[in-house]
Amino acid sequence: MIIQNSLYVPVGEGYQLHLRHIYQQQKMGPAVLLIHGAVENGKIFYTQSNKGLAPFLAEQGYQCFVADLRGRGGSKPAISKGDKHGQTESIVEDIPAILAHITAMTGKRPQFWVAHSWGGVLLNSVLARFPEEIEHISACVYFGTKRSLYNRHPEKLLKANVIWYMLAFWQVRKHGYLPARQLKWGSDNETRKSHAQSVQWAKRRPWVDSDDGFDYAAALKDTALPPTLHIAGVKDKALAQPVDIRQFMAESGTGIMEITVYGRRYGHQHDYDHINMLTHSAARHDQFSDLLAWFERYRQT
């Protein structure tokens, strides 16, 4: 039987990060950390009725720790106009605190890392700042992860150039944060800072932190990151085409990296897009099964 529990990790001044622990009591296998992307929360990986990637992995004996970054999902308090945190805090404070909490619970760092979209950028940024974490990770799988956008599809011009780069700034000025959930631009909101920082990197500017000038690309240039499988969807035209993902792979060190595109033309059951690559019922037979094989290939006993 799959069990789901909510855990809370204190960070900063008065913040609580929500961490969903999804597992089987009889099969407490290797720990998996799952990190969502921008305008999202951890629900991209699970439902309370045990659908999604995290329950799928729990069925196979893995124990999953699905994070809600600061202010998102079940984390407290929710994002409001007074919040000053952004992606730097996610990289330097939130994710390290989550790793420490998982270690305290299980006795070791999570063996596998999974991310959707911008979450993969945050995770590789963590590895750039804290390279000592690399030795604890057997493998990573990133769904639709890119840092900068290189494709010029009309849908990208609408979602990125018009909405994310222009209209979103107007909404931030109006509300003090980006109310993406109310606007139906995503499943959760973003702070002023996290939105502004993500725009800088998406526009192909250097992979450098706007807070302290830390150069993530330079830190990773000659670093072998854990073996990473990148998953792309044939209908993900705007946010993570293979050209965008490959550029991110090229700046993410020297380790083992592969990319697989999922769609009917490649023998898969569905033509996946940026969201349903994680939520479609057929995913368990396509990319979820390939993720499992990737884990098993690099799993440390």
Side-chain angles (χ1 to χ4, degrees), residues 6 41 54 59 97 103 107 147 166 182 203 212 255 258:
S6 285
N41 57 52
E59 291 173 10
T103 305
R147 184 180 74 86
M166 295 174 57
Q182 295 92 316
K203 284 185 170 182
D212 62 5
E258 293 183 12

Side-chain angles (χ1 to χ4, degrees), residues 91-242:
I91 296 163
V92 176
E93 299 177 13
D94 293 2
I95 295 172
I98 289 166
L99 291 171
H101 191 86
I102 295 170
T103 305
M105 279 190 64
T106 67
K108 59 176 68 174
R109 287 292 204 250
Q111 190 175 335
F112 300 99
W113 287 13
V114 175
H116 180 232
S117 195
W118 202 253
V121 178
L122 299 179
L123 289 182
N124 278 10
S125 298
V126 169
L127 294 177
R129 281 200 184 247
F130 307 105
E132 64 273 15
E133 297 291 348
I134 296 171
E135 64 180 280
H136 301 294
I137 308 165
S138 294
C140 302
V141 178
Y142 294 166
F143 289 78
T145 290
K146 54 80 192 51
R147 184 180 74 86
S148 298
L149 285 163
Y150 289 83
N151 82 79
R152 297 192 61 80
H153 192 275
E155 189 178 340
K156 175 265 179 182
L157 298 177
L158 171 64
K159 290 184 176 179
N161 296 55
V162 175
I163 294 177
W164 198 246
Y165 301 164
M166 295 174 57
L167 296 180
F169 278 108
W170 177 74
Q171 289 290 331
V172 167
R173 286 193 295 270
K174 180 179 179 182
H175 299 281
Y177 68 100
L178 180 59
R181 185 174 65 247
Q182 295 92 316
L183 294 167
K184 301 188 185 305
W185 290 354
S187 58
D188 221 313
N189 303 325
E190 290 290 321
T191 65
R192 178 190 300 270
K193 181 179 177 182
S194 62
H195 168 252
Q197 288 184 314
S198 70
V199 167
Q200 289 178 356
W201 287 357
K203 284 185 170 182
R204 308 188 209 173
R205 293 179 185 170
W207 193 0
V208 173
D209 199 283
S210 60
D211 275 16
D212 62 5
F214 184 89
D215 192 327
Y216 297 96
L220 291 179
K221 186 174 184 297
D222 299 311
T223 301
L225 296 186
T228 303
L229 173 64
H230 286 268
I231 290 171
V234 295
K235 293 186 73 175
D236 190 354
K237 299 298 187 183
L239 300 178
Q241 284 198 33

